[in-house]
């Protein structure tokens, strides 16, 4: 219960889903957790339920000025920043042919730009306090072909590449800052649960596998890996992309419950 004692952590997209799971686990492990999201109602609720270890801040990751303000306030209040989890992200159902500019730019702004700006400003704060750990959420959509979420795939691919660049930069400059990325498959979160409605709204004929039997992964399946990467236990791990996907990215064909974010709905 003390793997993060004394640490100060920012977690974006923490009002629900994976971000909420990370926030609850980090607080249990002793961290002061700043939850950020555009969903203030759920964000404030989660922070209240966690208790004195948590604080919620309204924050739109798309805008660099909001990142500057957030990190400045956190450092001013707590004296440092040890951990950043860039979790905020959105997905839209679009193929390479049905992609629209507005939805593409929105997905890229939240999932890629938000992560890039977060890393940029976290590095400065972490340098000042002697180091830290950045965990960026990518996806199996950045590794395997997910042809019906092409904007999301592009954004998460950018996150994976940027993570490696940040890790090398920090290592070469001896900043004692690690940066890793985690690539979940289908996890039981509100975003994944919304997929059937989005598929129907997009009016797409998806060639989904018909034999999906395994359940979705649970947020805790990802949360404990993120905890490890955020903690000092992973002090020699940087620049890595770790998939949590029931082996889907290293086998031929779809793995029920892990091969595609759509598997669970092809029943």
């Amino acid at each position: 219960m003390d793997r993060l004692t004394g640490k100060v952590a920012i977690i974006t997209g923490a009002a629900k889903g994976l971000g909420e799971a990370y926030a609850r686990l980090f607080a249990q492990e002793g961290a002061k957790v700043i939850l950020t999201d555009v969903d203030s109602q759920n964000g404030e609720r989660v922070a209240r339920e966690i208790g004195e270890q948590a604080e919620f801040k309204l924050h739109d990751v798309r805008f660099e000025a909001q990142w500057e303000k957030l990190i400045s306030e956190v450092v001013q209040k707590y004296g440092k920043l040890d951990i950043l989890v860039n979790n905020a992200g959105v997905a839209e159902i679009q193929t390479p042919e049905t992609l629209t500019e507005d939805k593409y730019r929105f997905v890229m702004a939240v999932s890629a730009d938000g992560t890039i700006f977060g890393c940029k400003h976290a590095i400065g704060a972490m340098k000042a306090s002697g180091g830290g750990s950045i965990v960026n959420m990518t996806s199996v959509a950045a590794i395997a072909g997910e042809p019906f979420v092409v904007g999301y795939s592009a954004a998460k691919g950018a996150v994976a590449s940027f993570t490696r660049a940040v890790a090398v930069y920090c290592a070469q400059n001896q900043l004692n800052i690690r940066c890793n990325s985690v690539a979940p498959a289908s996890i039981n979160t509100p975003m994944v649960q919304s997929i059937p409605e989005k598929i129907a709204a997009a009016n797409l004929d998806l060639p989904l596998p018909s034999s999906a039997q395994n359940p979705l992964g649970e947020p805790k399946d990802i949360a404990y890996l993120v905890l490890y990467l955020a903690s000092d236990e992973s002090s020699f791990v940087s620049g890595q992309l770790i998939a949590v996907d029931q082996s889907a990215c290293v086998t031929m064909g779809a793995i029920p419950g892990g091969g595609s974010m759509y598997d669970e709905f092809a029943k």
Side-chain angles (χ1 to χ4, degrees), residues 17-177:
L18 290 177
E20 177 182 350
Y22 305 155
R24 292 183 183 277
L25 182 58
F26 279 24
Q28 290 173 16
E29 293 292 339
K32 291 287 187 181
V33 184
I34 296 87
L35 300 78
T36 86
D37 209 299
V38 294
D39 181 354
S40 58
Q41 181 175 357
N42 280 312
E44 289 171 355
R45 172 188 58 80
V46 173
R48 282 195 307 271
E49 290 174 0
I50 292 173
E52 62 181 13
Q53 291 290 109
E55 174 185 3
F56 173 77
K57 285 186 175 291
L58 184 65
H59 172 220
D60 191 328
V61 299
R62 294 176 295 169
F63 303 107
E64 184 174 11
Q66 292 198 26
W67 273 108
E68 291 182 279
K69 181 175 183 290
L70 170 69
I71 291 181
S72 176
E73 290 175 349
V74 168
V75 171
Q76 184 176 7
K77 180 172 182 177
Y78 297 102
K80 62 176 181 174
L81 174 65
D82 300 296
I83 300 162
L84 170 63
V85 181
N86 281 306
N87 172 71
V90 292
E92 296 287 351
I93 304 298
Q94 292 187 308
T95 73
E97 291 187 286
T98 64
L99 182 73
T100 61
E101 182 177 358
D102 57 342
K103 289 186 177 181
Y104 165 76
R105 295 197 183 284
F106 176 64
V107 169
M108 290 296 290
V110 176
S111 300
D113 296 356
T115 296
I116 290 168
F117 292 141
C119 289
K120 174 184 175 180
H121 293 286
I123 288 171
M126 290 177 178
K127 279 197 303 187
S129 58
S133 176
I134 300 171
V135 183
N136 296 328
M137 299 308 299
T138 180
S139 168
V140 295
I143 305 170
E146 291 281 9
F148 298 100
V149 283
V150 293
Y152 183 75
S153 295
K156 292 304 188 178
V159 168
S161 296
F162 189 73
T163 296
R164 292 189 288 271
V166 170
V168 172
Y169 173 82
C170 292
Q172 288 179 339
N173 288 277
Q174 299 181 318
L175 302 183
N176 193 32
I177 299 170

Side-chain angles (χ1 to χ4, degrees), residues 1-6 24-31 53 224 227:
M1 301 293 288
D2 59 357
R3 296 168 72 182
L4 299 181
T5 296
R24 292 183 183 277
L25 182 58
F26 279 24
Q28 290 173 16
E29 293 292 339
Q53 291 290 109
Y224 281 100
L227 171 63

Side-chain angles (χ1 to χ4, degrees), residues 205-242:
D205 182 18
L206 302 184
L208 301 175
S210 60
S211 59
Q213 300 296 327
N214 292 351
L216 297 169
E218 292 299 325
K220 66 179 177 61
D221 297 324
I222 313 300
Y224 281 100
L225 174 58
V226 174
L227 171 63
Y228 166 71
L229 293 173
S231 75
D232 293 338
E233 297 165 11
S234 58
S235 61
F236 207 57
V237 181
S238 193
Q240 302 305 304
L241 186 160
I242 304 175

